[in-house]
Amino acid sequence: MTASYHDIDGKSVLVTGGASGIGASIVRAFCAQGAHVGFFDIDDDAAQSLIDEIRGEHGVTPVYKSLDLRDQAAIPGAVREVSAAIGVIDILVNNAARDDRHAPEDIGPEQWRDGLDVNLSHHFFCAKAVAPGMKEKGAGSIINFSSVSYMMGLPDLVTYETAKAGIIGLTRALARDWSHDGIRVNAVTPGCIMTQRQLDLWITPEDEERIQEQQCVKRRLVGDDVAQMVLFLASDVSSACSSQNFIVDGGIV
Ligand SMILES: NC(=O)c1ccc[n+]([C@@H]2O[C@H](COP(=O)([O-])OP(=O)(O)OC[C@H]3O[C@@H](n4cnc5c(N)ncnc54)[C@H](O)[C@@H]3O)[C@@H](O)[C@H]2O)c1
């Protein structure tokens, strides 16, 4: 089920990690609303499949830029490139992440930095790159992605959970610093969303049964459940919301 947000029609939207999982649901959802959508990812094959699917379904072509978001120096140029194609960015969705598992004992300085680079730092550098255009327009919505994993204390995710907790601080700091520029900054915190990667790598049928037992909402949560919250935060219907965290977890925490 979806709502139509007329103010999103024609807006320029940048989604990080948009080729698969929740990010792909977000790209689909914005295309369906009539937005001009660009996305970053490293998975070129998945990106091409998504573009083909959306072109077939909606007759529009989202703009893809292959980018490893750990390369912070490359972010401003990549944002300029996508903006040249779709227009000055109105809405940024910082979605990309990688939930690798490591025991704390196995993490050295390099892995620690990589964990924060892939899960946290690009949120800041993408926000910094789109902010001047938003300031000039006097409006913008930035949506960062956290995770219930740090609230639940799930095992072997120390760099990921540290980053995801940091994203809440980042969200509140930027919301305050840019509050005079008309830029709203919020976080979305998904629960256990059954993306392909989760089902392939981590979640067994028994796990899923246990998860639904723990949720107040007794069904499988999917990428589109999260995309609907992102649309709400992108639209002016949420114009009173900034500096907050919106949990989409079926009530598991
Ligand atoms: N799926 C869940 O249950 C869940 C739960 C809590 C939070 N989240 C959060 O939701 C967001 C999306 O999660 P998901 O489950 O869809 O993840 P996913 O792994 O299915 O997709 C992540 C996307 O980011 C891309 N990506 C990874 N590293 C990248 C890099 N260095 N540069 C560019 N792109 C890169 C991947 O190629 C992929 O397309 C993430 O921020 C994640 O932490 C997901």
Side-chain angles (χ1 to χ4, degrees), residues 23-141:
S25 298
I26 294 167
V27 169
R28 286 188 193 97
F30 277 110
C31 287
Q33 298 282 336
H36 306 298
V37 182
F39 65 104
F40 295 149
D41 212 289
I42 40 173
D43 188 340
D44 298 342
D45 292 341
Q48 193 54 55
S49 308
L50 181 67
I51 290 166
D52 294 343
E53 175 206 310
I54 290 174
R55 196 185 286 131
E57 202 162 314
H58 300 289
V60 294
T61 307
V63 171
Y64 172 58
K65 167 78 184 159
S66 187
L67 175 70
D68 187 334
L69 286 152
R70 290 172 298 181
D71 183 358
Q72 290 144 17
I75 289 175
V79 169
R80 273 196 301 275
E81 210 178 297
V82 171
S83 301
I86 65 168
V88 175
I89 305 302
D90 298 294
I91 297 153
L92 168 67
V93 186
N94 275 321
N95 160 83
R98 200 186 60 224
D99 63 342
D100 289 345
R101 270 63 166 167
H102 303 283
E105 293 74 13
D106 297 336
I107 297 172
E110 204 171 303
Q111 259 175 321
W112 178 260
R113 266 192 301 274
D114 187 64
L116 296 190
D117 282 349
V118 78
N119 291 311
L120 171 64
S121 306
H122 60 85
H123 281 62
F124 172 69
F125 289 103
C126 287
K128 191 174 170 218
V130 300
M134 290 181 173
K135 286 180 185 179
E136 214 161 287
K137 290 186 178 191
S141 177

Side-chain angles (χ1 to χ4, degrees), residues 59-219:
V60 294
T61 307
V63 171
Y64 172 58
K65 167 78 184 159
S66 187
L67 175 70
D68 187 334
L69 286 152
R70 290 172 298 181
D71 183 358
Q72 290 144 17
I75 289 175
V79 169
R80 273 196 301 275
E81 210 178 297
V82 171
S83 301
I86 65 168
V88 175
I89 305 302
D90 298 294
I91 297 153
L92 168 67
V93 186
N94 275 321
N95 160 83
R98 200 186 60 224
D99 63 342
D100 289 345
R101 270 63 166 167
H102 303 283
E105 293 74 13
D106 297 336
I107 297 172
E110 204 171 303
Q111 259 175 321
W112 178 260
R113 266 192 301 274
D114 187 64
L116 296 190
D117 282 349
V118 78
N119 291 311
L120 171 64
S121 306
H122 60 85
H123 281 62
F124 172 69
F125 289 103
C126 287
K128 191 174 170 218
V130 300
M134 290 181 173
K135 286 180 185 179
E136 214 161 287
K137 290 186 178 191
S141 177
I142 297 175
I143 299 150
N144 297 323
F145 265 69
S146 184
S147 166
V148 293
S149 59
Y150 89 85
M151 300 172 179
M152 298 173 82
L154 299 180
D156 293 336
L157 282 165
V158 64
T159 53
Y160 180 80
E161 289 178 13
T162 301
K164 291 297 180 180
I167 283 164
I168 302 299
L170 173 72
T171 299
R172 294 185 67 81
L174 293 182
R176 193 62 64 187
D177 284 345
W178 293 337
S179 59
H180 297 291
D181 301 298
I183 302 175
R184 296 185 296 116
V185 188
N186 288 290
V188 168
T189 293
C192 300
I193 312 299
M194 297 303 141
T195 58
Q196 202 51 51
R197 177 175 159 93
Q198 297 300 311
L199 293 167
D200 288 348
L201 294 182
W202 318 119
I203 310 274
T204 63
E206 296 73 39
D207 290 335
E208 193 174 356
E209 203 174 309
R210 185 178 38 77
I211 285 164
Q212 289 191 22
E213 192 64 32
Q214 291 171 347
Q215 289 174 184
C216 301
V217 175
K218 304 292 182 193
R219 67 165 172 84

